[in-house]
Amino acid sequence: MALYEILHDTRYRYDSAVALSQQIAHLRPRACAGQRTLAHRLEIAPVPARRSERSDFFGNPVTAFALHAPHTELVVRALSRLRVDPPAWPEPAASPPWEA
């Protein structure tokens, strides 16, 4: 077993104020065999007027958010802590030979 702490920063700086911004972020780790999310936090500045969580067609976590006030910078920070287990390999005797 291995523990991972992941920090991802995205920063947008605009030459002039942006009045409206709508974003979709794929920053939450996906649950899958051998990987478990122990903690996850998504920090957005400025604070969005709207924010929602869903899964896309493929089962990936999605965060959608919108900013409705003028801003010259957008900062998105994802902090995640994961537990990853080593893969379970089959016993060689239980696997067919390569010729088969």
Side-chain angles (χ1 to χ4, degrees):
M1 173 200 56
L3 295 176
Y4 293 93
E5 290 190 12
I6 302 162
L7 170 64
H8 175 92
D9 281 325
T10 301
R11 182 179 304 264
Y12 299 94
R13 290 190 182 114
Y14 308 109
D15 289 334
S16 59
V18 174
L20 176 66
S21 177
Q22 297 187 40
Q23 305 289 328
I24 295 177
H26 294 268
L27 295 170
R28 177 183 295 271
R30 182 179 177 157
C32 60
Q35 176 175 292
R36 194 170 103 201
T37 302
L38 303 175
H40 174 76
R41 187 170 76 236
L42 190 62
E43 300 171 353
I44 304 167
V47 176
R50 290 185 169 179
R51 180 175 171 166
S52 62
E53 306 280 336
R54 64 178 175 84
S55 295
D56 68 10
F57 178 80
F58 301 101
N60 299 305
V62 176
T63 303
F65 61 94
L67 304 170
H68 294 166
H71 57 285
T72 57
E73 184 174 64
L74 169 61
V75 179
V76 180
R77 171 174 272 190
L79 301 115
S80 303
R81 184 166 187 183
L82 303 175
R83 174 186 165 165
V84 178
D85 296 318
W89 298 104
E91 288 295 321
S95 180
W98 69 271
E99 298 93 347

